[in-house]
Amino acid sequence: MVTTAPNNLVYERPEGFTDTPTHYCPGCTHGVAHRLVAEVLEEMGVLDKTIGVAPVGCAVFAYNYFETDFVEAPHGRAPAMATGIKRVMPERVVFTYQGDGDLASIGMGEIVHAAARGENITVIFINNANYGMTGGQMAPTTLPGMKTTSSPNGRDVETQGYPIRVSEMLSTLDGAGYVVRRSLHDPKNIRLAKKAIRIAFETQIRGLGFSLVELLSTCPVNWNMKPVDALKFVEEKMVPYFPLGDYKLSAGAAQIKI
Amino acid sequence: MTRELWKGNEAIAEAAVRAGLEAYFGYPITPQTEVLEYLSRRMPELGRTFLQAESELGAINMVYGAACAGVRVMSTSSSPGVSLMMEGLSYIAGTEIPAVLVNVMRGGPGLGNIAPSQADYSHAVHGGGHGDYFPIVLAPASVQEAIDLTVLSFDLAEKYRSICMIILDGSIGQMMEPIQMPEMKPIQRKDWEWATNGKMGKRERRILTSIYLDPYAEEVTNLRLLERWKHIQQDEVRYKEYFLDDAEFVVIGFGTAGRVALSAVRAARAQGIKVGLLRPVTVSPFPHKVIDELVQRVQGLLVVEMNTGQMLEDVRLSVKGRVPVEFYGRLGGVVPFPDEVLSEIQRVASSRLSLEVNPREEWFERMMAH
Ligand SMILES: Cc1ncc(C[n+]2csc(CCOP(=O)(O)OP(=O)(O)O)c2C)c(N)n1
Ligand code: SF4
Ligand SMILES: [Mg+2]
């Protein structure tokens, strides 16, 4: 076993993680997103009062990995479940972790209304442009022309419609306090993503309304790409279609300094 | 205690409040909407949670979340809305947490109408959502009984970590009757050993889910649910009986059909017909044992429902062909009149009944002949 001298230790399992190894495919950025959330909850000292809501999707087992209470919602319904939890325990920290099929397709009703109500919950939204768990079908976020198992010739917008830009859409709602898009394709962007996740949870704790961080994410397995190529795909193809930025920064959220 | 005049739906709402309802999530649908409207005033006044959800999908999943937190939570709806809730109900059942749902049934299928119906019996009693589970289902026949069963439903749901559904039809929801309200109970949030309400420095983390990827683990869960159901069947069967001691014929009906049948049974008694009434209060667990005992001393049964004979199937299961079973049903939101049930009782008491006939087909032919 390799041991590391404490002063050389630059990286270790955050306290927000359990000891369970994640089940994600090699090179998948779900794991990165998990880690950021775990670090933020640990740094904020709120692990003890946090309840997570897992989706149906590749992150269905998210409840195995976080050192917090967790529930597992029906496909797309996580924001409604989180609403039920938060409303009866407003002093707790409640977050959902959802994929793009879960949030932007089957669960579009639930997410829009949670945002419109200004529900004091935080949503971590993983946009990987496909349905990872079921083997790579077209998602509402699949890029025009992108091949998936259910758009084998590439997404034809004439018949299969256009991708949905969730952050932009939700930002029009008055109940939304903090809605931003970040990407996980390189270390710099990962750091920015972490900061956004922190602000999102701070938004919730200060009662400033609904907060959501959309994270552009990879699915190398279903994209048929090597992990590095998948990161490049995010940078070169996804970021142009889903521009990074702060789509809703309420006056309150803008005051948050970290 | 004084008796007050209350409308069914509002009485259910207030009874739930007095039983310690901490959170309500619902969506408007006739003939249930008064519950939602009443609680939209009452819950905030008491500092409790009321939320009109974006849909019944939203409502039931809010219930699911609040139930995971361990609070007394309820939703109410009517048939089409309850169809939408079936996904959530299945998850709640699979997660083994308590929740109360009231279905003020209306005519269907589809959009149907808003008239009183019992057509969701099978939907409620035999599950409705996907997977193997067994909901407790209570069927009141009066406003007072709706109140009492609402209070009971929370206790049953918590005792068995189960869904408890109350099915009534729009007429009970809408009618006004003199009733007695229970005492207001203070909210006592229990620290359930399963609730996901935050570790708060006191315990290991908890997970609530309905997922068992390993089929053997799911089988163990299914067996656990079944075992729990056996206790429920053993201990929680409730029914009302009228004039059964010397009855030669017995009418069986739940909810409003049972109530209408009681008037008919009284009228028949006045004519010297030895008929009684069995009114299941828990339609799930179903009073199979009572029927089994009755079958050994009566000449025939008449099942009366406001559907095409959904409970009839459960009655026939207990009868096992030992005595003739007859059926009378009205459909689509039509409530039978006592006179109609009386003439059915007269018909049953005066004809030579056969074990061979299919009661639903015989009834169908009589209906079509009219
Ligand atoms: C009601 C329902 N419909 C369909 C499914 C099947 N299903 C499971 S996961 C999934 C898609 C998940 O995709 P996404 O939300 O994008 O998550 P990812 O796996 O990509 O992270 C689907 C359709 C289901 N479990 N439940
Ligand atoms: S299928 Fe895609 S999203 Fe799911 S774990 Fe594998 S790489 Fe990640
Ligand atoms: Mg996805």
Side-chain angles (χ1 to χ4, degrees):
Chain A
M1 207 177 107
V2 184
T3 49
T4 313
N7 53 348
N8 291 337
L9 193 79
V10 290
Y11 191 80
E12 66 180 335
R13 215 175 239 300
E15 266 176 40
F17 264 161
T18 62
D19 289 336
T20 317
T22 66
H23 66 285
Y24 298 108
C25 307
C28 173
T29 45
H30 262 304
V32 178
H34 275 30
R35 187 180 167 97
L36 299 183
V37 173
E39 285 179 357
V40 164
L41 293 176
E42 179 190 335
E43 286 162 18
M44 291 174 72
V46 295
L47 286 166
D48 241 21
K49 58 171 185 174
T50 296
I51 296 110
V53 185
V56 176
C58 277
V60 66
F61 294 121
Y63 57 76
N64 282 327
Y65 310 134
F66 293 93
E67 231 343 299
T68 67
D69 277 5
F70 239 93
V71 299
E72 204 286 305
H75 197 16
R77 319 287 176 230
M81 250 189 122
T83 298
I85 297 170
K86 185 73 179 183
R87 290 280 177 136
V88 298
M89 301 188 298
E91 70 296 347
R92 300 290 196 270
V93 175
V94 181
F95 76 99
T96 73
Y97 183 105
Q98 302 178 257
D100 41 7
D102 193 79
L103 181 144
S105 192
I106 195 166
M108 190 56 111
E110 284 75 13
I111 195 69
V112 168
H113 285 275
R117 287 190 303 265
E119 226 42 84
N120 256 308
I121 59 170
T122 299
V123 175
I124 308 299
F125 170 42
I126 304 297
N127 177 352
N128 61 10
N130 82 122
Y131 285 27
M133 188 191 212
T134 40
Q137 296 78 26
M138 190 183 77
T141 42
T142 295
L143 297 175
M146 189 173 169
K147 283 187 182 168
T148 69
T149 61
S150 59
S151 56
N153 301 320
R155 182 178 190 158
D156 174 5
V157 294
E158 289 298 319
T159 57
Q160 294 168 308
Y162 292 87
I164 296 174
R165 294 186 183 93
V166 169
S167 292
E168 287 85 332
M169 193 180 75
L170 295 180
S171 70
T172 65
L173 299 169
D174 291 345
Y178 183 68
V179 177
V180 301
R181 184 182 293 116
R182 300 287 185 266
S183 178
L184 299 175
H185 69 268
D186 63 22
K188 176 177 158 242
N189 279 286
I190 289 171
R191 272 196 298 278
L192 292 172
K194 180 173 172 184
K195 196 170 164 198
I197 292 169
R198 175 74 189 251
I199 295 175
F201 278 103
E202 295 284 354
T203 300
Q204 173 177 174
I205 283 173
R206 292 165 202 212
L208 299 173
F210 178 86
S211 52
L212 177 143
V213 180
E214 175 172 350
L215 297 170
L216 301 185
S217 203
T218 62
C219 180
V221 166
N222 288 311
W223 293 355
N224 292 312
M225 288 179 198
K226 294 200 180 94
V228 174
D229 296 336
L231 294 170
K232 216 173 277 161
F233 181 84
V234 172
E235 183 179 9
E236 289 169 5
K237 296 288 189 295
M238 286 180 71
V239 172
Y241 203 96
F242 299 108
L244 308 182
D246 295 357
Y247 289 96
K248 183 69 181 280
L249 189 61
S250 62
Q255 306 269 310
I256 297 171
K257 296 278 174 287
I258 50 165
Chain B
M1 253 172 116
T2 51
R3 287 166 78 80
E4 304 162 64
L5 207 57
W6 277 76
K7 187 179 200 172
N9 281 339
E10 295 184 344
I12 288 171
E14 179 61 24
V17 165
R18 294 189 185 201
L21 180 73
E22 268 200 77
Y24 172 90
F25 304 95
Y27 189 82
I29 182 169
T30 312
Q32 159 275 162
T33 305
E34 293 86 358
V35 183
L36 173 104
E37 289 173 341
Y38 183 91
L39 290 174
S40 74
R41 295 190 301 272
R42 187 75 168 121
M43 295 294 273
E45 166 185 303
L46 294 164
R48 306 184 190 181
T49 301
F50 167 89
L51 185 57
Q52 178 172 325
E54 64 274 16
S55 70
E56 288 86 353
L57 280 175
I60 195 67
N61 284 288
M62 291 170 191
V63 167
Y64 187 15
C68 287
V71 308
R72 286 202 155 179
V73 57
M74 170 174 94
S75 187
T76 59
S77 188
S78 177
S79 313
V82 177
S83 284
L84 270 185
M85 291 182 172
M86 281 297 161
E87 176 195 54
L89 278 188
S90 169
Y91 276 74
I92 290 170
T95 309
E96 300 170 68
I97 49 169
V100 171
L101 173 64
V102 180
N103 179 358
V104 189
M105 297 178 284
R106 55 189 252 181
L111 198 50
N113 56 41
I114 57 172
S117 165
Q118 298 184 325
D120 299 349
Y121 174 94
S122 292
H123 188 236
V125 165
H126 298 299
H130 60 283
D132 260 327
Y133 71 96
F134 308 91
I136 300 169
V137 185
L138 313 175
S142 68
V143 176
Q144 183 66 57
E145 200 173 26
I147 291 169
D148 299 342
L149 294 183
T150 299
V151 175
L152 176 70
S153 66
F154 290 100
D155 293 332
L156 290 179
E158 284 173 2
K159 183 170 176 191
Y160 296 104
R161 292 179 61 171
S162 168
I163 291 162
C164 189
M165 246 174 124
I166 300 174
I167 57 170
L168 58 149
D169 60 71
S171 66
I172 299 168
Q174 300 294 326
M175 84 168 90
M176 291 189 81
E177 285 188 315
I179 54 91
Q180 230 174 36
M181 270 293 161
E183 290 291 324
M184 183 78 153
K185 268 204 226 166
I187 297 255
Q188 284 176 319
R189 197 179 282 194
K190 300 199 185 82
D191 197 9
W192 299 107
E193 70 283 2
W194 44 262
T196 47
N197 47 10
K199 299 193 293 178
M200 302 311 279
K202 289 185 301 201
R203 56 165 175 80
E204 296 288 288
R205 74 200 196 91
R206 288 181 188 148
I207 300 168
L208 281 174
T209 117
S210 63
I211 191 171
Y212 296 93
L213 218 52
D214 172 11
Y216 292 98
E218 182 73 74
E219 189 178 51
V220 167
T221 304
N222 290 159
L223 286 170
R224 183 170 61 245
L225 292 177
L226 183 55
E227 192 183 17
R228 192 174 299 159
W229 181 243
K230 288 195 166 300
H231 290 297
I232 296 172
Q233 282 179 312
Q234 186 69 42
D235 297 340
E236 305 298 348
V237 170
R238 287 169 171 78
Y239 55 89
K240 286 273 161 57
E241 51 169 86
Y242 307 85
F243 313 111
L244 286 188
D245 289 346
D246 62 342
E248 292 169 359
F249 299 95
V250 174
V251 181
I252 305 180
F254 70 94
T256 293
R259 180 182 174 131
V260 171
L262 180 58
S263 309
V265 164
R266 288 206 170 102
R269 278 275 167 179
Q271 296 175 6
I273 303 174
K274 287 194 170 173
V275 60
L277 172 73
L278 175 71
R279 182 166 64 76
V281 172
T282 53
V283 281
S284 174
F286 193 71
H288 283 296
K289 254 195 212 146
V290 187
I291 297 177
D292 181 69
E293 284 157 21
L294 279 176
V295 163
Q296 301 174 31
R297 57 185 168 93
V298 302
Q299 295 171 28
L301 303 178
L302 169 66
V303 175
V304 180
E305 295 182 78
M306 287 148 58
N307 60 45
T308 56
Q310 298 183 14
M311 184 185 69
L312 171 66
E313 299 300 333
D314 287 323
V315 171
R316 292 177 80 196
L317 257 182
S318 354
V319 173
K320 299 193 190 77
R322 287 170 293 172
V323 294
V325 179
E326 293 278 318
F327 177 66
Y328 182 68
R330 294 307 302 261
L331 315 174
V334 178
V335 182
F337 285 106
D339 279 0
E340 296 166 42
V341 181
L342 176 61
S343 35
E344 281 297 301
I345 293 171
Q346 290 164 336
R347 182 182 63 77
V348 168
S350 62
S351 34
R352 274 195 51 210
L353 302 174
S354 158
L355 284 172
E356 306 305 318
V357 300
N358 179 321
R360 184 191 279 115
E361 276 171 25
E362 298 278 306
W363 157 79
F364 178 67
E365 275 168 30
R366 286 194 299 274
M367 283 290 277
M368 298 305 274
H370 267 287

